[in-house]
Amino acid sequence: MALIQVENVRKKYQLGQTEVEALRGVNLSIEKGEFLSIWGPSGSGKSSLLNIIGMIDSPTQGVVRLDGTSINGLSDKEITKLRNQKIGFVFQSFNLVPVLSALENIMLPLQIRGEALKVAAEKAMHRLEEVGLSNLAKSRPDHMSGGQRQRIAIARALVTDPSIVLADEPTANLDSETSQNIIELMRELNERDQVTFIFSTHDQQLLDSVKRRIRIKDGQITAEQGEAE
Ligand code: ADP
Ligand code: MG
């Protein structure tokens, strides 16, 4: 059974009188442990698709199944719980909370889950060590470089031990050397723990590093390279 099954998903946005069809019948099956990228020009529907897979947004039509279970029929509360259990997010602009330290940022998803502060701090510290930044535990994001911020964001995405990490253009704001380091870090975590990584990108460097590429254009998948392992 696929980890993620996207079936005939359509997404329409209403902008005043105008309707935008961001996704026009997307079908996609993703297995556990994949390291794959959805790529295509700006406006092609990459973020819409990631947001729907991540249950941040719901499809206008179609079904998304996680471990075989459709998320369509779930209540908001069930969706929030499932998202917190299964999915970690990494964003282009890092989305760290500026008034919190690195460690506190990483602790947040665990606190949302209601874990004890001490346990949350220990888990967060462990993830911070993993991304090589334990010396910055008390630093705030605005004192850090882009690469450091993205490492913190990756630690935050992984602190709940999710099975899926969704990363929307994670290297778009980084120079190529920093990007390469971030990509290698994610690849290691993918190999070691079989965490499924799904990227949206148009960064060639990231595209060269993935095992599977799915091309999207005008809300439709147009081509695929590389096979699910
Ligand atoms: P990408 O991530 O590939 O740049 P998006 O998924 O962000 O593409 O956008 C796909 C299309 O949907 C674009 O035409 C965009 O303008 C439109 N769109 C995305 N989000 C919204 C929204 N919240 N409201 C209205 N239109 C949107
Ligand atoms: Mg986007």
Side-chain angles (χ1 to χ4, degrees), residues 13 15 20 22 41-48:
Y13 297 106
L15 266 182
V20 181
S42 184
S44 56
K46 302 183 295 296
S47 295
S48 300

Side-chain angles (χ1 to χ4, degrees), residues 13 23 38 44-52 168-169 200:
Y13 297 106
L23 297 173
I38 295 157
S44 56
K46 302 183 295 296
S47 295
S48 300
L49 183 54
L50 282 198
N51 290 344
I52 286 172
D168 198 350
E169 309 217 26
S200 94

